[in-house]
Amino acid sequence: MTRFVKVTVKRQTDKARYQVKVRPGQVTLGQKLSPSQLVTNLSSLPKKSKETSALLTVTVNNPADSSRYTPVLLAAKTQVGKAIAASSLIANFASPPAGSQASYLTVPDFAKAGSYKTQIKVTYPDKSTWTSSEFMIEVAPGAESTQSN
């Protein structure tokens, strides 16, 4: 004897059929992070669907000081014997965080007249750095200088 069983198949809702999968994320302070960047199976989900995901962690990182501050160099000209501090050649050196240090990569010879090619390196308190492109410092003879034969 054969028994027949009546089976009713109901259409599954999209919510039951699809599950949004998310991953933890990271973003730098001040940058944007789209929720879709955290969904790992976005391409397999139906368009215009909505679902609340499980809780996830998004870490917000502070950017390095070197990416937040852009030094602006000033023209460099001095006279023999008058050294110029590297920090005084940065127009906006007051804006970086306290404790920032500026130094020459190649220190010009301020005791001799001439043109010196150098770069300035700024080291921030978080140990990140910025290095300028090469530029020239003019060291002109002093007004009272005398030449010996």
Side-chain angles (χ1 to χ4, degrees), residues 7-87:
V7 177
T8 304
V9 178
K10 292 183 181 178
R11 178 177 161 88
Q12 265 188 319
T13 64
D14 283 347
K15 185 173 182 173
R17 204 165 141 201
Y18 300 99
Q19 293 296 311
V20 66
K21 294 178 184 171
V22 293
R23 64 172 176 79
Q26 287 192 16
V27 65
T28 301
L29 184 66
Q31 300 295 315
K32 294 185 180 192
L33 180 65
S34 164
S36 62
Q37 292 174 278
L38 302 175
V39 178
T40 61
N41 63 337
L42 189 63
S43 62
S44 67
L45 299 175
K47 302 292 182 217
K48 296 183 181 180
S49 63
K50 290 183 179 183
E51 184 178 348
T52 302
S53 73
L55 290 177
L56 64 119
T57 301
V58 174
T59 304
V60 179
N61 299 315
N62 278 327
D65 288 334
S66 60
S67 67
R68 295 191 297 165
Y69 301 99
T70 304
V72 176
L73 291 180
L74 298 169
K77 188 171 184 175
T78 189
Q79 290 184 332
V80 168
K82 295 183 180 178
I84 304 172
S87 60

Side-chain angles (χ1 to χ4, degrees), residues 73-78 84 89 104 118 135-139:
L73 291 180
L74 298 169
K77 188 171 184 175
T78 189
I84 304 172
L89 293 178
Y104 293 108
T118 190
F135 67 99
M136 298 299 285
I137 292 183
E138 274 305 309
V139 179

Side-chain angles (χ1 to χ4, degrees), residues 126-149:
D126 68 358
K127 305 298 181 213
S128 63
T129 61
W130 171 88
T131 303
S132 73
S133 54
E134 287 187 335
F135 67 99
M136 298 299 285
I137 292 183
E138 274 305 309
V139 179
E144 299 175 27
S145 69
T146 56
Q147 290 183 343
S148 58
N149 292 333

